[in-house]
Amino acid sequence: MRFQLLGPLALADGPDTVVLQPSKPANLLAALLLNANSTVSAGYLQRAVWGEEQPATAKAALQTCVLRLRRLFAKHGVTGTAIEAVPGGYRIVAGPPTLDLLAYRDQVRRATAMDRDPEAELYTLRDALSLWQGALLANVRSAVLHRDEVPRLAEERLRVVERVCDLLLGLGRCGEALVDLWTATRVYPGHERFHEQLIEALYRSGRQSQALAEYRRVKDFLREELGVDPSPSLRRLELSILRGEDLGPVGQAALAASAPGQAAPVVAASAEAVGSGSASGEVVGSGSASGAVVSRVVRGETVPQPDAEPPGSEPAPASGPDLASAPDPATIPTLVTAPALTSAPAPVAAPAPAPVTVPPGAATGAPSAAGACAPSVDAGVGPVPGVPHFTGRAAEAEAMTARLTAPPSTGPADHRALAVVVSGAPGIGKSALAQHVARQVGDAFPAGRLLVRMTRADGEPRTAGEVSAALADALGATGEGRALLILDDVVDADQVRPLLTPGGPPGTGPGLAVVVTSRMGLGGLIATHGGWVQRLTAFTEAESYGLLLAALGAERVEAEPEAAHRLTAVCGHFPAALRILTARLLTRPGLRLADAVDWLGDDPLARLTLTDSPGHSVTGLFDRALDRLDPRLSQAFTHLAQGPPELLADGGPEHEGPVPEAVREQLADAGLLEDGPPGPYRIHGLLRAHVRRTARIRDRRTEKV
């Protein structure tokens, strides 16, 4: 059994992980683990659990929390780790095998001792950073811990990120460093060292104009947001670029200055600065590979709000103000780019600096940098995110993996064939499947994996030219080996055809693989460009139950298995509905599933929504899908949904007359009609109920007028 602190607080036993529900005992466990093997005073533990304003019974309640934790340990078979009562407080004993934070620090210490072997040090640091699994303590609601502990841990991580990028630059792997630095500079716009590394990597890659543009961007930011000029080292770097000087190799002195061991004083100073609650929210540190660079985390970016709710069950719907909503160091892909190594590799000759290459990410569900090539979120291009609680779709995922990892087509050199089109109804899980599979096939795409959002937040489709320009900016240069693009939420075939021609996205080498997700069938695209179609339908009953197990935890679901099955049935085994349901249940840990069945069954459409984020709802999802339809098709679908199921048959009821087959085909192609039986088509129960409810509301409004 292993405790996980570098992300949501969890217990892990091999591949099985139990994420703890937000609670007072979870606050206590986090406080003890953050100070493992040390005595933690009872007073500090009380503040960590209840905050600065403690109840009168806090001392006795603390003993009750300790008892509950011990019972939790016994229930999950935690052995070798115990909470000890010692004079003045409590202590928990742990080691690197049982606590990921200690394992991380142990790996960093070992890497520091490898300073004469940069390649081995790089791999060891990346192995350590792969232990970070997301937003720190996202499920721990303790203002004290998020004020005092999270900034300190974030600073530890940032120092290692800097070291990794310095090592990449020193090894001549500038293209690889660019992938990580684009994201790091956007997550931490006031962190000058990241900008300095990015500008240097661009210049060493022969991209002088982009390097100067990046310098102007950070200069404007520092002056407008902080009222300061760039650091002397940044200004010297700009001058060298303007003169066209050779920067020379990254010296060992510079690499030594950025070693993680040199950053310990900065960590302590930063934690103190955050804890003091300065008005500006700045954390000022020092230490730079090339001079006195001031590192700023502007406006408290690394300090999540203490009243946040736990994360929901998928990236898009959030169950409330999330502790992960502020930029978190876990979002920097450098930290998780390499799988664990049993031994350090031998040093190799440094390659030419131009190509943008990304090491394959570990296929464990942890965030990976292999898909993180994008510099700009606004451009709609970014790293492929993980999918929390991904379950089901085993056959589909296996088939897609086989297609994507097969050798590239041996057709004409200028032919860009699609790999897969994933289609289906809105909310059926197309993007989740594509992202999950992309993260499993990292080894086959060393040039990187990108998620390209083909639709803006307002629902407007992006043009092919706009996407092509964003891809050029993200990739920068031709990658070594194959790359994988996920073109997500494509509106029609014409939107993506220009991206699949010989003059398609620049910066993509031969063997490019493309996965398209779309509500449309895109038969015309398949006819002209080849490829294979994966059409998704609703979950099976077993898949729905599996999602509840993964999201809510076996303890809660298996206590009421019958109620859990009834909940999945009320949701119609519809993935989007199930994810919204689990998000709501996570925010109500005390609600019994049997009570939730009655609560949800009274009005499923109204309750399958996140109250603090109305856009994340089943009704909103369906409304946006219907808004995309041609008005005549929308009217026809409303007629079908309000009428009897026989309307979908070829003949139709005698008194109604048949709906033209061409109309039904178009609605099926748009993902609004599912394949039968009975008959050739059917409408999902939730979608039919939504259309009928919308019609009733519209009729009532008309009557009032």
Side-chain angles (χ1 to χ4, degrees):
M1 187 65 70
R2 180 183 180 88
F3 294 99
Q4 293 183 347
L5 269 178
L6 304 180
L9 180 61
L11 299 175
D13 185 8
D16 300 324
T17 301
V18 177
V19 178
L20 301 185
Q21 297 291 330
S23 63
K24 299 294 189 294
N27 294 357
L28 173 62
L29 179 59
L32 289 170
L33 290 174
L34 286 165
N35 299 276
N37 304 316
S38 300
T39 299
V40 187
S41 69
Y44 180 80
L45 291 176
Q46 290 170 19
R47 291 196 303 275
V49 173
W50 286 280
E52 301 298 343
E53 298 181 4
Q54 304 163 31
T57 59
K59 184 175 181 180
L62 180 63
Q63 296 174 350
T64 302
C65 284
V66 171
L67 180 61
R68 290 174 63 186
L69 279 181
R70 288 171 175 163
R71 290 174 178 169
L72 179 69
F73 288 0
K75 178 179 180 179
H76 290 285
V78 177
T79 59
T81 302
I83 300 176
E84 303 173 348
V86 295
Y90 293 89
R91 176 178 62 201
I92 192 168
V93 179
T98 57
L99 179 58
D100 59 356
L101 176 59
L102 297 182
Y104 166 76
R105 288 172 173 166
D106 184 60
Q107 286 278 75
V108 172
R109 280 192 295 269
R110 291 198 300 109
T112 304
M114 301 175 182
D115 55 345
R116 296 188 179 183
D117 188 349
E119 193 77 45
E121 182 183 359
L122 174 63
Y123 275 93
T124 304
L125 287 176
R126 282 181 159 169
D127 188 21
L129 293 168
S130 67
L131 295 172
W132 292 69
Q133 300 292 319
L136 286 168
L137 304 182
N139 56 336
V140 175
R141 299 176 184 170
S142 170
V144 171
L145 295 182
H146 282 285
R147 181 194 67 199
D148 297 344
E149 301 289 349
V150 169
R152 175 171 58 84
L153 293 177
E155 194 70 18
E156 287 187 42
R157 185 176 185 142
L158 289 177
R159 292 295 167 259
V160 177
V161 177
E162 291 181 10
R163 177 63 175 174
V164 166
C165 292
D166 275 331
L167 287 168
L168 289 172
L169 292 174
L171 291 167
R173 292 154 65 174
C174 298
E176 195 172 321
L178 280 172
V179 174
D180 301 323
L181 288 167
W182 277 125
T183 304
T185 52
R186 273 49 181 176
V187 173
Y188 294 97
H191 196 300
E192 289 179 80
R193 178 57 188 149
F194 285 148
H195 288 284
E196 186 176 352
Q197 291 171 318
L198 174 60
I199 294 167
E200 181 179 345
L202 287 169
Y203 183 58
R204 290 180 182 274
S205 300
R207 296 156 67 177
Q208 180 180 13
S209 60
Q210 282 185 272
L212 292 172
E214 183 64 22
Y215 175 82
R216 288 192 295 271
R217 199 188 72 80
V218 67
K219 179 181 179 181
D220 292 342
F221 173 84
L222 292 172
R223 285 185 172 178
E224 293 174 7
E225 297 293 327
L226 302 175
V228 298
D229 289 322
S231 64
S233 59
L234 262 176
R235 295 199 296 270
R236 286 195 297 269
L237 180 58
E238 181 210 22
L239 187 59
S240 296
I241 295 173
L242 289 171
R243 292 172 175 173
E245 296 175 351
D246 183 2
L247 298 182
V250 179
Q252 290 301 315
L255 290 178
S258 69
Q262 301 293 326
V266 180
V267 174
S270 299
E272 181 180 354
V274 174
S276 65
S278 63
S280 65
E282 293 183 5
V283 180
V284 182
S286 62
S288 167
S290 58
V293 177
V294 179
S295 169
R296 305 177 181 89
V297 182
V298 184
R299 294 178 179 172
E301 290 174 344
T302 63
V303 187
Q305 295 301 314
D307 59 347
E309 297 290 337
S313 58
E314 65 174 346
S319 57
D322 194 346
L323 289 173
S325 60
D328 185 273
T331 61
I332 301 181
T334 306
L335 307 182
V336 286
T337 51
L341 297 179
T342 55
S343 61
V348 296
V356 178
T357 60
V358 187
T364 61
S368 169
C373 307
S376 173
V377 175
D378 293 337
V381 180
V384 177
V387 183
H389 313 307
F390 184 88
T391 55
R393 308 294 192 202
E396 294 90 340
E398 182 179 357
M400 284 183 63
T401 298
R403 292 276 176 175
L404 291 173
T405 56
S409 172
T410 56
D414 62 352
H415 178 63
R416 295 179 183 269
L418 286 173
V420 183
V421 171
V422 184
S423 61
I428 207 68
K430 303 178 291 295
S431 300
L433 175 62
Q435 293 167 24
H436 173 73
V437 171
R439 293 173 66 86
Q440 307 304 306
V441 297
D443 292 347
F445 298 96
R449 293 157 290 163
L450 286 175
L451 177 66
V452 185
R453 303 194 183 279
M454 301 297 291
T455 307
R456 298 188 184 90
D458 60 3
E460 287 297 313
R462 298 181 186 274
T463 65
E466 178 184 353
V467 172
S468 183
L471 282 171
D473 190 31
L475 292 166
T478 302
E480 293 181 353
R482 302 183 70 195
L484 173 63
L485 299 182
I486 298 177
L487 305 182
D488 189 47
D489 198 15
V490 169
V491 175
D492 55 40
D494 290 337
Q495 189 186 17
V496 294
R497 279 200 180 99
L499 302 175
L500 304 173
T501 62
T508 53
L512 172 72
V514 179
V515 174
V516 170
T517 74
S518 178
R519 298 172 187 176
M520 308 299 293
L522 302 183
L525 189 65
I526 295 295
T528 57
H529 287 73
W532 175 74
V533 179
Q534 179 65 68
R535 185 83 173 181
L536 300 185
T537 58
F539 274 163
T540 64
E541 185 175 352
E543 289 174 325
S544 298
Y545 189 79
L547 177 57
L548 261 61
L549 280 173
L552 302 178
E555 178 182 358
R556 187 175 182 185
V557 175
E558 291 179 351
E560 301 178 81
E562 182 181 353
H565 282 291
R566 290 168 60 198
L567 278 174
T568 63
V570 174
C571 291
H573 306 292
F574 197 69
L578 289 166
R579 291 190 177 277
I580 292 172
L581 170 67
T582 55
R584 294 211 66 176
L585 291 177
L586 282 170
T587 65
R588 297 185 177 186
L591 180 65
R592 295 175 59 250
L593 298 189
D595 296 332
V597 173
D598 297 333
W599 164 75
L600 180 63
D602 287 343
D603 193 349
L605 288 173
R607 286 165 182 169
L608 285 173
T609 184
L610 301 178
T611 54
D612 62 330
S613 183
H616 296 137
S617 66
V618 169
T619 56
L621 180 71
F622 290 156
D623 281 336
R624 289 190 293 273
L626 293 172
D627 287 343
R628 284 193 188 181
L629 286 179
D630 179 277
R632 291 171 297 178
L633 281 180
S634 180
Q635 184 178 3
F637 181 72
T638 300
H639 174 62
L640 287 171
Q642 289 184 278
E646 293 77 16
L647 269 179
L648 294 169
D650 289 335
E654 293 183 1
H655 64 282
E656 291 279 359
V659 174
E661 181 180 1
V663 172
R664 287 179 286 151
E665 283 289 331
Q666 290 179 71
L667 291 172
D669 191 59
L672 298 176
L673 297 185
E674 302 175 345
D675 294 336
Y681 302 111
R682 69 177 185 276
I683 300 176
H684 191 278
L686 285 177
L687 182 54
R688 184 186 289 273
H690 170 68
V691 173
R692 290 178 172 178
R693 175 177 178 158
T694 302
R696 288 196 301 271
I697 294 173
R698 184 180 60 247
D699 291 344
R700 284 199 298 269
R701 289 174 178 170
T702 304
E703 290 171 4
K704 291 180 180 179
V705 173

